[in-house]
């Protein structure tokens, strides 16, 4: 599991550009939410289905990403041990703890609740609001997207600001929860699409300084 925030944000936008049939150009980098699409009057927030202790690892990665191995503190090696992932002598990720049960449903509910609160407090509101959640399931066949769909529908039923779309990324399938039409539709990634999206996102992550106002589509031309 990789936690690098900007890379995930770019991956989410790229995957919707290529796979979401409702998409119209183009996404512009923003903050709260992470992307704005003026054509669609749409704002997209990107997050991972994480509990609070997962967030500690997320912050650690954002702080030390790309650092040389010797630049990490001894405490980091004591805490994460062999889960620290290095390539060419530099730190890139924290691998999953196989000993910890990954309850994707609890994590997804927790993260959705937090993002819904923020949507109603301090996000720039567009006509349509979207949330893209990386679920990181241990087994995609166990995903009950219908249960999550109903939970999210019920949870935001009486809120002033709601997510019109929630995208549940389960690696090889993206579930599109459309609350404007009350439908859920799976996007099954075509063969080779996962590698293509990963490569595209990684290229974009490092080829440009992602200041607010940067247009994703213009970099893909």
């Amino acid at each position: 599991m990789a936690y690098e925030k900007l890379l995930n944000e770019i991956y989410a936008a790229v995957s919707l550009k290529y796979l979401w049939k409702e998409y119209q150009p183009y996404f512009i980098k923003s903050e709260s939410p992470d992307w704005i699409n003026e054509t669609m009057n749409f704002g997209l927030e990107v997050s991972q289905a994480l509990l609070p202790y997962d967030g500690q690892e997320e912050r650690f990665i954002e702080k030390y990403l790309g650092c040389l191995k010797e630049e990490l503190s001894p405490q980091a090696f004591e805490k994460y041990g062999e889960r620290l992932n290095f390539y060419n002598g530099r730190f890139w990720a924290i691998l999953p703890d196989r000993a910890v049960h990954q309850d994707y449903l609890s994590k997804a509910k927790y993260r959705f609740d937090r993002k819904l609160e923020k949507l109603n407090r301090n996000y720039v509101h567009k006509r349509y609001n979207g949330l893209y959640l990386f679920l990181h399931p241990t087994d995609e066949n166990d995903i009950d997207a219908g249960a999550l769909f109903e939970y999210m529908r019920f949870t935001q039923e009486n809120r002033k600001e709601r997510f019109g779309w929630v995208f549940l990324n389960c690696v090889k399938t993206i579930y599109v929860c459309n609350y404007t039409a009350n439908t859920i539709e799976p996007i099954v990634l075509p063969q080779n699409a996962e590698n293509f999206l990963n490569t595209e996102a990684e290229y974009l992550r490092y080829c440009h300084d992602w200041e607010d106002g940067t247009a994703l589509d213009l970099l893909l031309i």
Side-chain angles (χ1 to χ4, degrees):
M1 179 190 296
Y3 292 118
E4 213 264 297
K5 185 175 185 293
L6 180 55
L7 179 60
N8 289 330
E9 291 170 3
I10 295 171
Y11 182 97
V14 170
S15 70
L16 294 186
K17 169 184 166 59
Y18 285 111
L19 299 172
W20 185 31
K21 64 183 180 182
E22 306 279 350
Y23 179 77
Q24 300 176 48
Y26 44 82
F27 278 129
I28 298 173
K29 191 70 187 78
S30 181
E31 186 64 37
S32 297
D34 297 310
W35 298 98
I36 295 291
N37 186 313
E38 297 292 358
T39 305
M40 300 179 69
N41 201 357
F42 177 70
L44 180 70
E45 178 70 4
V46 181
S47 187
Q48 302 195 56
L50 303 174
L51 293 173
Y53 64 82
D54 296 316
Q56 296 175 11
E57 297 184 4
E58 182 179 14
R59 289 188 292 274
F60 179 88
I61 290 176
E62 288 185 9
K63 182 177 180 179
Y64 293 106
L65 187 74
C67 288
L68 292 169
K69 188 173 185 177
E70 53 268 26
E71 294 176 331
L72 272 64
S73 68
Q75 290 78 13
F77 290 92
E78 290 175 10
K79 185 172 184 178
Y80 299 116
E82 294 183 356
R83 295 176 59 207
L84 295 171
N85 180 257
F86 296 91
Y87 178 77
N88 199 26
R90 294 185 180 274
F91 169 69
W92 294 111
I94 295 178
L95 302 176
D97 187 349
R98 300 299 181 186
V100 176
H101 177 62
Q102 301 290 315
D103 182 358
Y104 80 89
L105 191 59
S106 296
K107 293 184 178 186
K109 289 178 178 179
Y110 172 85
R111 187 55 54 187
F112 178 80
D113 291 348
R114 301 290 78 73
K115 290 300 180 180
L116 184 61
E117 288 296 326
K118 289 186 177 181
L119 176 66
N120 279 272
R121 283 204 317 266
N122 59 2
Y123 280 8
V124 173
H125 298 136
K126 308 302 287 184
R127 181 178 181 185
Y128 302 107
N129 304 299
L131 175 64
Y132 192 110
L133 274 180
F134 290 89
L135 296 193
H136 304 292
T138 51
D139 184 353
E140 283 198 64
N141 295 322
D142 287 340
I143 291 292
D144 191 343
L148 271 177
F149 179 91
E150 289 301 321
Y151 174 84
M152 294 184 292
R153 181 188 63 78
F154 176 78
T155 301
Q156 63 180 347
E157 201 168 44
N158 297 316
R159 303 305 295 267
K160 180 180 179 182
E161 299 293 338
R162 308 176 189 178
F163 290 112
W165 279 277
V166 178
F167 306 90
L168 305 175
N169 184 300
C170 302
V171 185
K172 297 186 182 300
T173 303
I174 301 172
Y175 292 94
V176 181
C177 301
N178 182 347
Y179 292 103
T180 65
N182 201 35
T183 60
I184 180 169
E185 178 183 354
I187 299 175
V188 179
L189 269 63
Q191 186 177 11
N192 301 321
E194 185 183 352
N195 287 338
F196 171 80
L197 295 174
N198 281 322
T199 301
E200 194 85 342
E202 288 177 9
Y203 165 75
L204 290 170
R205 165 64 179 87
Y206 297 104
C207 82
H208 200 277
D209 293 329
W210 284 91
E211 300 174 354
D212 287 358
T214 302
L216 176 83
D217 297 59
L218 300 183
L219 297 177
L220 292 172
I221 293 174

